[in-house]
Amino acid sequence: MSARHFLTLLDFSSSELEQLIARASELRQMQHRGEIYEPLKNQVLAMVFEKSSTRTRISFEAGMAQFGGHAIFLSPQGTQIGRGEPIEDTARVMSRMVDGIMVRTFEHSKLETFAAHSQVPVINALTDDYHPCQLLADVQAFSEARGSIQGATVTWIGDGNNMCHSYINAARQFGFQLNIACPEGYEPKADILEAAGDAARIVRDPVEAARDAQLVTTDVWASMGQEEEQKLREQAFARYQVDDRVMQAADNDALFMHCLPAHRGEEVSASVIDGPQSIVWDQAENRLHAQKALLETLMAPR
Ligand code: CP
Ligand code: NVA
């Protein structure tokens, strides 16, 4: 199957990612000017959601509509996926009918299997291991606020989860230094961290990790699928809140980001997420523009 997929940030080269971020900013300006641009007229994106979503669903669906195409929302309950139809068969059939497929699921291997049996581009809209679309929006938001992220120091505070893994890949691809502050037992996967070499390192203490950073970012303590660990995780992560003390250790003009949804009083204080250094709303909006750039790259006729 020859279709090009976007399963992790490593599927694109550094220069392709840089171009995509620049294009995302252009598309943002075009959208703000009210310019009509329909490169995906008559094209259809299937959106498979095995987990909940606000931002991802709306941004892909709105993006397809703005591009002159159409998006179909599919849930396990409403399809044969929830009744056990093999994922390989679902991918084969779906990809004969639509022009692109976006998948949010649990095991990353399931997404890889899906992509291996799809003849159209497959986009990772979050798995247990990665959330690359979010990183496109994050890098775009940083670049728009501060210029290139290359050479910056970025601090990840919290769980070594799917977002953390994608930050590690982003550190490799965009050339920034990533400091990761996580409690013992909640580290990112060793192979993903090791593959980043010097670009990413664990610095246990959150204040130490934030020192001189230009960007501080975090995520929920319990991800989707880990709801029953919430109480346990609240104890393990109690010292890992991004609060004013952490932000004071960072650069004076450091930015704060969060992929959302956020839990004020847990992984971030209200003073930080609702404070002047937070750019979470621009970051969230950029999901739309960055994914439009991605859809255009993967699906627009050349
Ligand atoms: N950040 C993010 O992916 O949000 P949703 O889960 O609402 O899509
Ligand atoms: N780590 C979170 C991100 C949500 C966008 C989760 O997987 O639930």
Side-chain angles (χ1 to χ4, degrees):
M1 307 272 172
S2 58
R4 184 160 197 207
H5 307 302
F6 183 68
L7 307 189
T8 77
L9 290 173
L10 305 183
D11 287 334
F12 281 32
S13 69
S14 296
S15 66
E16 285 173 324
L17 289 170
E18 297 283 358
Q19 280 169 32
L20 204 139
I21 300 300
R23 181 64 179 152
S25 289
E26 274 173 23
L27 291 169
R28 178 181 168 118
Q29 286 162 18
M30 284 160 66
Q31 186 67 23
H32 287 190
R33 286 197 298 266
E35 217 171 288
I36 305 288
Y37 174 59
E38 299 185 324
L40 299 188
K41 212 162 174 54
N42 299 321
Q43 292 209 44
V44 178
L45 178 77
M47 308 190 299
V48 179
F49 280 98
E50 296 204 90
K51 292 177 176 175
S52 303
S53 170
T54 297
R55 281 143 287 268
T56 306
R57 176 179 177 180
I58 298 170
S59 52
F60 272 109
E61 195 161 336
M64 281 304 292
Q66 291 164 8
F67 268 178
H70 183 76
I72 308 175
F73 173 80
L74 299 158
S75 67
Q77 299 76 27
T79 60
Q80 301 290 3
I81 296 171
R83 297 182 62 251
E85 181 166 13
I87 205 70
E88 295 87 342
D89 294 0
T90 307
R92 287 185 184 108
V93 172
M94 216 181 261
S95 73
R96 282 172 178 239
M97 299 181 183
V98 301
D99 306 285
I101 304 171
M102 180 239 82
V103 181
R104 170 169 284 198
T105 190
F106 291 85
E107 301 85 10
H108 190 73
S109 58
K110 194 170 173 183
L111 175 74
E112 290 174 333
T113 303
F114 192 104
H117 294 85
S118 167
Q119 35 183 294
V120 299
V122 173
I123 295 170
N124 180 357
L126 183 147
T127 61
D128 288 346
D129 286 344
Y130 297 102
H131 195 6
C133 288
Q134 182 68 52
L135 260 291
L136 299 179
D138 290 22
V139 173
Q140 184 191 346
F142 184 92
S143 309
E144 286 168 351
R146 295 283 184 268
S148 173
I149 199 166
Q150 193 180 358
T153 297
V154 176
T155 302
W156 172 268
I157 297 184
D159 194 14
N161 63 10
N162 45 9
M163 276 296 301
C164 180
H165 292 154
S166 282
Y167 260 97
I168 294 171
N169 280 349
R172 288 171 68 175
Q173 295 288 65
F174 291 99
F176 59 80
Q177 172 65 47
L178 183 67
N179 294 339
I180 301 165
C182 58
E184 302 226 3
Y186 295 93
E187 294 82 6
K189 288 187 172 175
D191 56 333
I192 297 173
L193 183 62
E194 276 162 24
D198 294 340
R201 59 180 182 146
I202 293 182
V203 181
R204 287 280 168 207
D205 181 64
V207 171
E208 207 46 52
R211 200 149 324 270
D212 303 325
Q214 284 86 53
L215 169 63
V216 178
T217 184
T218 186
D219 186 15
V220 292
W221 291 340
S223 285
M224 289 182 276
Q226 300 173 332
E227 288 77 7
E228 72 290 350
E229 295 177 33
Q230 176 67 31
K231 286 281 161 252
L232 180 76
R233 283 169 172 265
E234 278 174 24
Q235 287 165 14
F237 286 89
R239 286 182 47 242
Y240 288 82
Q241 182 182 93
V242 180
D243 56 13
D244 296 323
R245 206 170 63 96
V246 169
M247 291 308 290
Q248 272 155 21
D251 265 8
N252 284 341
D253 63 351
L255 299 170
F256 171 76
M257 288 199 219
H258 190 311
C259 63
L260 305 175
H263 297 83
R264 288 168 176 77
E266 290 184 26
E267 75 274 7
V268 61
S269 66
S271 60
V272 170
I273 194 168
D274 299 320
Q277 288 166 280
S278 170
I279 56 165
V280 296
W281 313 124
D282 283 326
Q283 180 193 1
E285 179 191 324
N286 282 347
R287 293 294 304 280
L288 172 68
H289 312 298
Q291 287 157 203
K292 283 170 76 176
L294 179 64
L295 292 167
E296 184 185 44
T297 303
L298 292 176
M299 289 165 64
R302 277 160 225 283

